[in-house]
Amino acid sequence: MLQLPESFLQEMRELLGDEYDAWEKSYEHNEGFRGLRVNTGKLRPEEFQALSAFSLRAVPWTRNGFYLEEQAQASKHPYYAAGLYYLQEPSAMTPAACLPIKEGDRVLDLCAAPGGKATELAAKLRGTGVLVANDISNSRAKALLKNLELFGAGNILVTSETPERLLNYFEGWFDKILVDAPCSGEGMFRKEPSMVKDWLEKGPNYYAEIQRTVVTAAAKLLRPGGQLVYSTCTFSKHENEETIERLIKEEGFTLLPLPLPEEREALGFAPGLGACAGAARLFPHRLDGEGHFVALLQKNVCSDNSAATSPKHKEKADSKGALKKLPEEWLDFAKDLHVKWDARCFRLYDGRLYVLPEALTGKNIRSLRFLRTGLYLGEVKQKRFEPSQALAMYLRKEEFALSVDLKADDERVFRYLKGETLDLEDLAARGAKGWCLVCVDGYPLGWGKLANGTLKNKYYPGWRW
């Protein structure tokens, strides 16, 4: 059995009382549970169930989450490359499921990498509004961007900034915020024993100070009346309830009931402690998942911080990259596209063409450290346009004139994902040529150039298997 620090075990005895022995016994199941969350931006959960060959069992607290059998090679399946699902620990699906997003919302995932929660928030927006996905680590933000583009998200701004820097541009701007805070990771000890070493070196007190800084900034980034989900994967009251109490007392927030099934205690959710009973604690002895804490709060309209509803500095609209006329190369390519964007949302930077979320078109964010603004369409080259991998993932099969659809068990799918040239004479229409959207069972994987029944592979090299 995993050896845990005695000071941590004493903390759990005080927290759990009569349930301590059951909690300790749960650590005999060291492997934890694997989960798969369906990308509802591409298909409904029941459609995926009908399509998938995996053995799946529903995660009862989220409509699009499933337990995945241990031997399933889900990360090596073509449906993963098509962005149909994200592999995520079942308890970790809870925070994004509890943020009540509406289409058109301005949403911030403040500590977003590697993207498990951000991809769900993007799917819930259904291509509307905007998702700002931030992580202070630039290297982790790169993984975040890949996962969002794999999911087909286009209404995004991916940044790598401190929360304090974001305040210069977005104070009082967001409708919804998710703070999955850096924490001591006590709830993940069973699944990731290596985290015990970090706990011994730093511990809850170290992370509580970081959390205070993060949520204080988040409070100011949220508009009055906006809602915030705070979550951790730790058991510490110091990092959980005390952080929530601070938001209520010092930042003008009200704790709201979580939008979970009414029978949530029967599912294994425990209430938060004391005045934070409306929050939820997830314990591994009560349910099939790791340890987590989740709370939903609303910023009071009359709070002291509600006066700030616009950036601190006087903002000038960013006209850099704006186009009076779209490039002819793009217009020629777009004849085969069955998607329309507002011409005011296009931007061209160094030959790379983007379409921005409408909410960002009037904001000057050029001095932010960001990895992506909006949907990257592709590159304008001399007398031609080369579409991006992000555009392929954003589209549906029927939204591009020329496509080829392979079955998931067709060996050419795997050859395509490795970057090989394909023979498609049996599938390509006679004489068909030009840019082709390559799909698996109706869902895009990427681009190819088709001529005489042969597909020249244009799958993004950085994603190849």
Side-chain angles (χ1 to χ4, degrees):
M1 181 178 168
L2 175 65
Q3 295 298 310
L4 296 170
E6 181 56 37
S7 57
F8 167 64
L9 295 177
Q10 182 57 38
E11 171 194 341
M12 297 306 296
R13 291 186 189 98
E14 294 172 1
L15 181 65
L16 290 168
D18 294 342
E19 294 186 43
Y20 176 80
D21 289 343
W23 171 81
E24 188 177 47
K25 187 175 179 59
S26 73
Y27 277 66
E28 296 174 5
H29 181 66
N30 284 348
E31 296 81 9
F33 294 90
R34 299 178 66 205
L36 173 155
R37 198 194 69 249
V38 175
N39 179 2
T40 55
K42 289 183 179 283
L43 74 171
R44 299 190 304 274
E46 55 269 24
E47 290 176 320
F48 180 78
Q49 285 180 282
L51 195 66
S52 171
F54 300 134
S55 176
L56 301 174
R57 174 169 62 95
V59 175
W61 52 85
T62 177
R63 68 185 185 88
N64 58 329
F66 297 91
Y67 292 98
L68 189 65
E69 59 187 5
E70 290 184 8
Q71 65 270 29
Q73 297 295 310
S75 64
K76 294 298 182 181
H77 196 283
Y79 294 162
Y80 182 81
L84 300 192
Y85 55 83
Y86 188 94
L87 299 176
Q88 188 173 33
E89 193 279 316
S91 291
M93 299 178 187
T94 314
C98 287
L99 189 61
I101 289 175
K102 303 192 302 293
E103 292 186 19
D105 276 347
R106 298 169 175 178
V107 181
L108 170 65
D109 188 346
L110 191 53
C111 310
K117 298 168 180 69
T119 49
E120 174 67 358
L121 301 180
K124 291 170 80 169
L125 281 169
R126 306 194 65 80
T128 68
V130 63
L131 170 67
V132 178
N134 178 75
D135 199 274
I136 193 170
S137 166
N138 189 260
S139 60
R140 285 170 53 83
K142 290 176 181 176
L144 166 64
L145 172 60
K146 178 186 175 179
N147 283 320
L148 284 168
E149 291 190 333
L150 186 64
F151 253 49
N155 56 327
I156 58 173
L157 170 61
V158 179
T159 59
S160 181
E161 288 287 4
T162 64
E164 293 82 4
R165 275 272 293 162
L166 291 178
L167 277 170
N168 292 329
Y169 302 87
F170 296 109
E171 187 167 353
W173 197 76
F174 292 101
D175 301 299
K176 309 286 166 58
I177 296 179
L178 175 65
V179 178
D180 186 43
C183 69
S184 61
E186 295 173 350
M188 301 300 290
F189 285 174
R190 179 175 69 168
K191 185 180 179 184
E192 298 180 33
S194 61
M195 296 188 74
V196 175
K197 181 179 178 181
D198 182 75
W199 189 92
L200 287 168
E201 292 175 354
K202 297 174 183 175
N205 290 336
Y206 170 85
Y207 284 101
E209 289 303 312
I210 295 175
Q211 292 151 5
R212 177 170 188 149
T213 299
V214 171
V215 298
T216 298
K220 294 177 172 62
L221 288 160
L222 191 66
R223 68 165 175 81
Q227 294 176 326
L228 179 149
V229 160
Y230 175 82
S231 66
T232 71
C233 57
T234 194
F235 300 124
S236 168
K237 181 181 177 181
H238 194 31
E239 299 178 71
N240 293 329
E241 282 86 356
E242 290 181 19
T243 300
I244 298 304
E245 290 167 3
R246 200 176 294 125
L247 273 172
I248 293 170
K249 294 176 182 177
E250 298 179 11
E251 303 295 341
F253 277 77
T254 299
L255 186 66
L256 299 178
L258 287 165
L260 290 167
E262 291 184 3
E263 66 279 12
R264 69 182 198 172
E265 290 196 28
L267 296 176
F269 285 77
L273 305 176
C276 296
R281 282 178 165 273
L282 284 68
F283 291 106
H285 68 287
R286 282 174 162 248
L287 46 73
D288 292 343
E290 304 308 312
H292 238 79
F293 175 88
V294 185
L296 173 64
L297 303 104
Q298 185 166 39
K299 184 175 180 178
N300 300 336
V301 174
C302 59
S303 73
D304 292 340
N305 292 322
S306 65
T309 57
S310 60
K312 292 178 180 178
H313 62 285
K314 187 176 181 181
E315 190 172 23
K316 294 180 180 179
D318 181 18
S319 59
K320 185 177 179 181
L323 300 170
K324 293 182 179 179
K325 184 181 178 182
L326 290 170
E328 290 296 330
E329 295 86 349
W330 161 255
L331 292 173
D332 185 56
F333 172 83
K335 291 175 183 175
D336 291 329
L337 269 179
H338 307 309
V339 181
K340 300 296 181 184
W341 290 283
D342 190 325
R344 297 171 299 176
C345 295
F346 285 86
R347 296 291 186 272
L348 184 66
Y349 307 113
D350 300 324
R352 295 160 68 91
L353 189 64
Y354 301 81
V355 60
L356 272 60
E358 187 176 350
L360 293 178
T361 55
K363 292 192 71 64
N364 190 345
I365 57 173
R366 296 299 299 170
S367 60
L368 270 177
R369 186 168 66 161
F370 61 85
L371 286 76
R372 179 74 76 245
T373 309
L375 173 63
Y376 172 43
L377 298 173
E379 191 170 358
V380 179
K381 298 193 173 182
Q382 189 174 9
K383 296 183 179 180
R384 73 185 193 276
F385 180 82
E386 291 198 0
S388 71
Q389 180 69 32
L391 177 59
M393 303 309 296
Y394 175 87
L395 294 174
R396 297 182 181 274
K397 176 187 172 183
E398 61 272 15
E399 291 177 335
F400 195 73
L402 181 58
S403 65
V404 62
D405 198 8
L406 301 167
K407 296 294 184 184
D409 58 358
D410 190 323
E411 55 91 20
R412 289 174 294 185
V413 173
F414 297 93
R415 288 174 53 206
Y416 173 76
L417 293 170
K418 292 177 181 179
E420 298 178 17
T421 298
L422 303 183
D423 179 1
L424 297 176
E425 284 189 354
D426 58 324
L427 294 175
R430 186 175 298 275
K433 63 179 182 178
W435 285 104
C436 175
L437 191 61
V438 182
C439 303
V440 57
D441 289 331
Y443 296 97
L445 289 170
W447 296 107
K449 267 289 192 68
L450 188 63
N452 301 319
T454 299
L455 185 87
K456 185 178 181 180
N457 200 310
K458 294 291 183 177
Y459 190 59
Y460 179 57
W463 290 17
R464 289 176 182 173
W465 288 16

